[in-house]
Amino acid sequence: MLDLIPGGNVSLPGGVLAIRVPGPFDLSVLITGDDGKVSGDGDFVFYNQPSAPGAHLRDDTVTVDAGRLRAGASRITVVVSAADPAVPLGRLPAPMLSVTGSAGRGVARFTPPRPTSQESVLLLAEIYRRGGGWKLRALGQGYADGLAGLARDFGIEVAEDSPAEGGFTALVNAERSRSGGPPVTSDARLAAAARAHCTGMAAEGRLGAGGSGFSGVSGVSLYQRVTAQGYAYLTVAEHLVSGPRTEADFLAYCLTDTRMARTVRDPALSEVGVAHAPAPDGDIFWTAVWARPLTPHGLASMASDVVALTNAERTAARLRPLAGDPRLTTAAQAHSDEMVGQGFYSHTSPDGRQPWDRAAAAGCTHRGIGENIACGQRSAAEVVRGWMDSPGHRANILKPDFTHIGIGFRGGGEAGTYWTQLFGMSG
C-alpha cells in the first residue's frame, strides 16, 4: 500500500473501490464534473443521503464504482467532519484514509496534518478522471464553513437571506417596527446552523428540531448545531416549516400561527439566522433560529429571576425566602455545563458524583443539599412553573429547612436548555 503526502497521487485499479476513514468522523463525498460543481443535490453523499449512482456510504466506508457514476461525473471529493458537532475537528486525531481495490488489495493510504481549531471540515482526497483511467490525489485541505457551506460552494442550493427577495431580516424588522419592538440583526453563526439543519430536514423529508431519532444516524439537534458554530445563547427559539417559496412567504406563514408570531415579535430575541433547502421531491424546507446571546450580565439576571420566582412561591406558602450562595451557584452552573458538554440529563454525573458531592467540591458546608434540574424550558418563568407543577421538585422549592440557593443554566445539547437549581441547608 502506497503512503501519500499532500499533493501526491496514484493511479487506481478498475472495479469497485472502498474508501475508509475510521474513528470519530462523519465521511461524505461530493460528485462533480470538470467545472467542480455538482449537477444537483443528489451528488452529495453523506449520512442523511447515503447513496448516489456509483457511490454508497455505510458507516465509515464509501464504495465507489466509477463505471456507474452519473453521466458527466469526472471527480469525487472525499470529505470528513467530526461525528460529534460539539467537538472541534482540531481536538480529534488526524483522520487516516485508506483505499482498497475490488480484490481486497490495499491501494493507498493518506494521513493529513492535524486540522486547526478553525477548521470544521477536511477535504481529504479527490478521485479524478485522467484519460481513460482514474487517479487519487491526496489533499488534506481544511475548510472552516462546515458541511453546509462546503456543499453550497460545490453548487448545492442551500440558501439564506436573499437581497433580491428583500432579505428576511429586513422583512422581520418591518413587522417588529409595526408592533413597537426593537430590530433584530442577522448572525452568520445562526445562519450556518440553520443551513445545516434545513439541509438535514430536506434530505429526510420531515420537520424536527433534532436529537435522538432525528437526522439519520447523527442524532444532532438544532441547538447542538448552534453551539457548534460557537454561538452561546441565553434564549433560543426556532421556526421549522416546509412549503413556502420565498422569505416573504415564509414570514407570512409564521405570522399566521400565534406561537410563531409571538417569537417574531419577541423583544427578548435580538439575533436571527435563516436558511432554506430543497428536498428531492421539490418541497422547500426552512429553518429560522432566533436567539439572544449569552452574556455574564444576562446570565446573572436570569438566575436572579429564577431565585425571585422561587422565593415568591415560598412567600405564598409562608416560608422564609432563600438567600443566594455563590458556592451553590458555582456547583449548579458546573452541573448545567456538564449536562450539555457530556450529553446527559441526570442528577448523577457520568463519573458517579451526586449533588452533594458537587456542592462539597465547590466549597459548600451546608448540612443538607437538594437539587432540581430541568431541560427545554425557554425562560425563568417557564422553568419555575414546571418545577412547581411537579410534586418532587415542588417539595424542594417549598422545603422549610432550606435556607440558600444557587442557579445554573446552559444552552445547547439535545433539549436546547439545561437548568440546575441547587438548595442548601444551614448547619
Side-chain angles (χ1 to χ4, degrees):
M1 182 178 290
L2 179 65
D3 285 305
L4 296 174
I5 62 173
N9 61 77
V10 62
S11 296
L12 296 171
V16 177
L17 299 170
I19 302 165
R20 181 171 182 253
V21 182
F25 304 103
D26 276 338
L27 178 64
S28 53
V29 298
L30 289 137
I31 302 166
T32 61
D34 291 337
D35 61 355
K37 299 294 185 180
V38 298
S39 65
D41 296 347
D43 282 347
F44 186 17
V45 177
F46 66 120
Y47 53 80
N48 275 332
Q49 185 171 269
S51 294
H56 179 73
L57 172 65
R58 183 174 181 181
D59 299 327
D60 61 4
T61 302
V62 62
T63 55
V64 174
D65 185 349
R68 294 180 178 274
L69 294 172
R70 52 98 174 160
S74 60
R75 193 177 303 268
I76 301 171
T77 303
V78 182
V79 179
V80 293
S81 56
D84 182 349
V87 178
L89 196 56
R91 291 186 185 175
L92 300 177
M96 186 187 76
L97 175 145
S98 62
V99 181
T100 305
S102 56
R105 177 176 172 271
V107 176
R109 183 169 50 207
F110 173 54
T111 302
R114 189 171 180 176
T116 68
S117 59
Q118 290 78 34
E119 294 168 344
S120 56
V121 172
L122 196 62
L123 279 63
L124 272 183
E126 61 180 6
I127 297 170
Y128 61 100
R129 188 192 300 274
R130 176 57 58 86
W134 292 80
K135 300 187 76 172
L136 171 77
R137 179 184 292 117
L139 297 176
Q141 177 184 341
Y143 194 94
D145 200 21
L147 275 181
L150 178 69
R152 188 178 64 252
D153 288 353
F154 273 72
I156 295 176
E157 294 183 7
V158 184
E160 52 187 312
D161 280 1
S162 167
E165 294 171 347
F168 183 75
T169 305
L171 294 170
V172 167
N173 284 335
E175 175 61 32
R176 287 168 73 97
S177 177
R178 283 191 288 271
S179 61
V184 293
T185 58
S186 179
D187 185 272
R189 296 162 297 175
L190 296 179
R195 282 197 300 270
H197 199 71
C198 68
T199 300
M201 292 194 302
E204 290 200 1
R206 63 189 177 110
L207 300 171
S212 178
F214 187 78
S215 292
V217 298
S218 72
V220 180
S221 76
L222 173 59
Y223 321 112
Q224 288 168 312
R225 298 187 195 278
V226 171
T227 55
Q229 291 292 330
Y231 190 103
Y233 57 80
L234 190 66
T235 307
V236 68
E238 69 283 340
H239 289 157
L240 309 174
V241 172
S242 66
R245 315 307 289 186
T246 68
E247 278 100 339
D249 291 342
F250 173 48
L251 179 60
Y253 178 87
C254 293
L255 292 174
T256 64
D257 179 272
T258 301
R259 182 186 62 81
M260 289 195 289
R262 189 180 302 119
T263 296
V264 172
R265 303 182 181 109
D266 189 347
L269 298 166
S270 59
E271 297 180 340
V272 67
V274 65
H276 63 274
D281 63 0
D283 199 2
I284 302 293
F285 282 75
W286 293 81
T287 299
V289 188
W290 310 77
R292 175 184 171 192
L294 179 69
T295 64
H297 174 75
L299 179 61
S301 178
M302 186 163 66
S304 178
D305 289 344
V306 174
V307 173
L309 291 166
T310 299
N311 280 334
E313 297 291 349
R314 289 178 65 88
T315 298
R318 300 182 182 279
L319 298 172
R320 291 177 302 168
L322 303 172
D325 185 308
R327 294 163 298 181
L328 289 173
T329 297
T330 296
Q333 185 61 49
H335 190 53
S336 288
D337 291 343
E338 186 179 33
M339 286 192 288
V340 172
Q342 298 197 33
F344 73 98
Y345 177 67
S346 173
H347 293 287
T348 305
S349 296
D351 60 5
R353 288 177 300 133
Q354 300 293 334
W356 42 91
D357 300 317
R358 295 189 291 269
C364 296
T365 58
H366 299 284
R367 64 183 176 88
I369 292 291
E371 184 179 79
N372 287 343
I373 59 175
C375 64
Q377 294 82 3
R378 304 299 176 90
S379 68
E382 186 179 344
V383 74
V384 173
R385 175 48 49 202
W387 280 327
M388 288 300 293
D389 288 342
S390 166
H393 298 95
R394 179 187 178 94
N396 270 341
I397 288 175
L398 299 182
K399 187 168 184 174
D401 292 340
F402 283 144
T403 56
H404 292 82
I405 189 172
I407 304 298
F409 168 85
R410 176 72 179 272
E414 184 174 318
T417 59
Y418 289 77
W419 307 76
T420 303
Q421 192 178 43
L422 199 58
F423 303 92
M425 188 184 304
S426 294

